[in-house]
Amino acid sequence: MKKLPVALAVAAMFIAPLAMAKTVDAVASFSVLADIVTQVGGEHVQVKSLVGPNGDPHSFEPTPQDSQALAKADVVFVSGLGLEGWMDRLISASDYKGKVIVASQGVATRTLEEEGKTITDPHAWNSMKNGVIYATNVMNALIAADPQDASDFRQRGTEYINQLQKLDGWAAASFAAIPATKRKVLTSHDAFGYFGQRYSVSFMSPVGFSTESEASAANVAGLITQLRKEHIGRYFIENQTDPRLVKQIANATGARPGGELYPEALTKKGGEADTYQAAFKHNVNVMLTSMK
């Protein structure tokens, strides 16, 4: 039998493992979750975000291309808690048969009464303590989907979780240094409930958990009265919502713009909030600036 030259034999040793290497084809429901999957998975994952940068996950309308992406996916990640009301229809249309990982599994949820109904707040990731839960669930799901790269997922996941824990501690200490009377914020809709609960910040907004909710005249009038009474001097717009209503309320109270927040959607790459960590740090910093 003819022997291979040494160089070819060595090359063959490396080609075989490479041919077996697996890339996890992952689909995530929205940009924040897609970034968490990307950070934990690294080179071993290919991630598609259904709701793109600056997109609203509440009002998203899936396309046939989204259905095709799900049909090819190895694993699908959702935040859960009612955020993605369109996901069940999309999964059914795509005939996806794989696992759907609910990244918020294990979060202590909060609720709100709206029009006589008890609604679960879906915005759990805005507390960085919950972000650690999301990252842990993502890491475990990727290990299950691609066991041969488990050690890499554990290393990247552990390092990432440590970074999120440091951000959580930094935010908690930073807000604790601000008098409670100043830790009040006006935003477009009620997306910062978990954030406020974790860091002792009071948030006021004209609409509820979903951007598709409508503010009643009575609610708006009551909010204006409250803002005047409590001397809230700053308001914030959100990158994925229509800012007109919150600006009208601000004009009625004399509140000035405090900047833009990123509660539900990241910016495009190169923007000031193009990762989950960057968005969180930005949100904390602009709020602190307005309070000081």
Side-chain angles (χ1 to χ4, degrees), residues 2-246:
K2 196 171 183 180
K3 291 184 177 181
L4 287 171
V6 174
L8 290 177
V10 172
M13 292 171 61
F14 287 97
I15 290 172
L18 287 174
M20 295 171 61
K22 177 181 176 65
T23 299
V24 178
D25 194 349
V27 171
S29 56
F30 71 126
S31 57
V32 173
L33 184 53
D35 181 63
I36 294 173
V37 178
T38 299
Q39 299 298 333
V40 175
E43 62 184 7
H44 302 297
V45 299
Q46 183 71 36
V47 187
K48 173 180 173 57
S49 180
L50 295 175
V51 184
N54 299 308
D56 186 343
H58 296 286
S59 60
F60 177 68
E61 293 289 342
T63 66
Q65 289 76 21
D66 296 321
S67 180
Q68 293 168 12
L70 251 69
K72 297 186 297 182
D74 296 312
V75 61
V76 171
F77 292 91
V78 299
S79 180
L81 306 180
L83 178 71
E84 306 96 340
W86 38 267
M87 181 58 85
D88 287 345
R89 299 191 306 273
L90 179 59
I91 289 174
S92 178
S94 69
D95 203 30
Y96 172 72
K97 302 298 185 185
K99 288 188 175 182
V100 177
I101 306 301
V102 180
S104 63
Q105 185 69 39
V107 164
T109 58
R110 59 186 299 274
T111 58
L112 176 72
E113 293 292 327
E114 282 189 354
E115 299 178 355
K117 297 179 180 178
T118 301
I119 301 174
T120 299
D121 184 350
H123 307 94
W125 64 89
N126 280 321
S127 157
M128 192 53 78
K129 183 179 180 181
N130 290 339
V132 169
I133 295 175
Y134 275 60
T136 302
N137 289 333
V138 166
M139 178 179 68
N140 291 336
L142 291 177
I143 289 171
D146 179 15
Q148 72 184 43
D149 293 314
S151 60
D152 283 355
F153 292 138
R154 285 194 185 94
Q155 180 180 350
R156 290 184 63 92
T158 300
E159 291 175 354
Y160 184 61
I161 287 167
N162 287 339
Q163 293 169 17
L164 300 188
Q165 289 172 332
K166 288 179 181 178
L167 282 175
D168 178 53
W170 162 73
S174 297
F175 283 114
I178 303 293
T181 55
K182 292 188 176 182
R183 295 198 298 264
K184 297 175 182 179
V185 178
L186 170 64
T187 59
S188 299
H189 84 295
D190 196 358
F192 284 97
Y194 292 95
F195 185 107
Q197 187 178 60
R198 175 62 179 161
Y199 308 114
S200 300
V201 177
S202 297
F203 287 88
M204 287 157 280
S205 61
V207 298
F209 292 153
S210 174
T211 54
E212 295 183 296
S213 302
E214 293 186 3
S216 68
N219 286 345
V220 171
L223 183 58
I224 290 172
T225 299
Q226 183 181 3
L227 292 169
R228 286 173 173 164
K229 181 180 178 181
E230 299 188 19
H231 306 289
I232 307 300
R234 297 279 182 176
Y235 72 89
F236 293 89
I237 61 173
E238 301 167 8
N239 65 319
Q240 86 294 356
T241 61
D242 187 334
R244 286 177 293 181
L245 179 56
V246 73

Side-chain angles (χ1 to χ4, degrees), residues 32 35 39 266-267 269 271-281:
V32 173
D35 181 63
Q39 299 298 333
L266 303 181
T267 58
K269 287 300 178 186
E272 63 185 356
D274 60 357
T275 67
Y276 175 44
Q277 293 162 288
F280 181 81
K281 285 190 284 189

